[in-house]
Amino acid sequence: MSRKEALSQFINQIHGRPVAVKLNNGVDYRGVLACLDGYMNIALDQTEEYVNGQLKNKYGDAFIRGNNVLYISTPTQKRRI
């Protein structure tokens, strides 16, 4: 699988699911991924803003410009043994 195919598959898997978006300035946004385009512009629903790990604001919908995005991640699930 090529890198482009892997990225496309990842985006399809996380659409409509909770994600965390880290910005270049260190601020985190957590919410449900509503939309993501080729420029990494992101639309989130049920968005929460975290600064230094502390909740600062809650927004219904948020739009994040792609040039500010450092990375997008999905929450990891803890495994029970």
Side-chain angles (χ1 to χ4, degrees):
M1 176 182 307
S2 73
R3 188 175 181 138
K4 185 176 180 180
E5 291 171 335
L7 178 60
S8 179
Q9 183 180 10
F10 172 72
I11 291 168
N12 287 334
Q13 288 176 348
I14 65 171
H15 188 268
R17 296 190 181 204
V19 295
V21 180
K22 179 92 168 185
L23 302 187
N24 295 328
N25 65 2
V27 176
D28 290 315
Y29 288 91
R30 299 176 193 167
V32 177
L33 182 66
C35 186
L36 175 69
D37 69 10
Y39 296 101
M40 259 176 91
N41 294 319
I42 299 169
L44 295 176
D45 293 328
Q46 304 169 27
T47 310
E48 297 177 336
E49 179 183 45
Y50 290 84
V51 178
N52 297 324
Q54 303 232 351
L55 179 63
K56 291 295 177 182
N57 279 309
K58 290 186 178 185
Y59 307 103
D61 298 328
F63 180 80
I64 302 170
R65 191 170 172 194
N67 66 335
N68 295 314
V69 176
L70 185 61
Y71 64 80
I72 303 170
S73 65
T74 57
T76 58
Q77 294 180 353
K78 295 181 179 178
R79 293 184 183 183
R80 293 184 184 196
I81 300 174

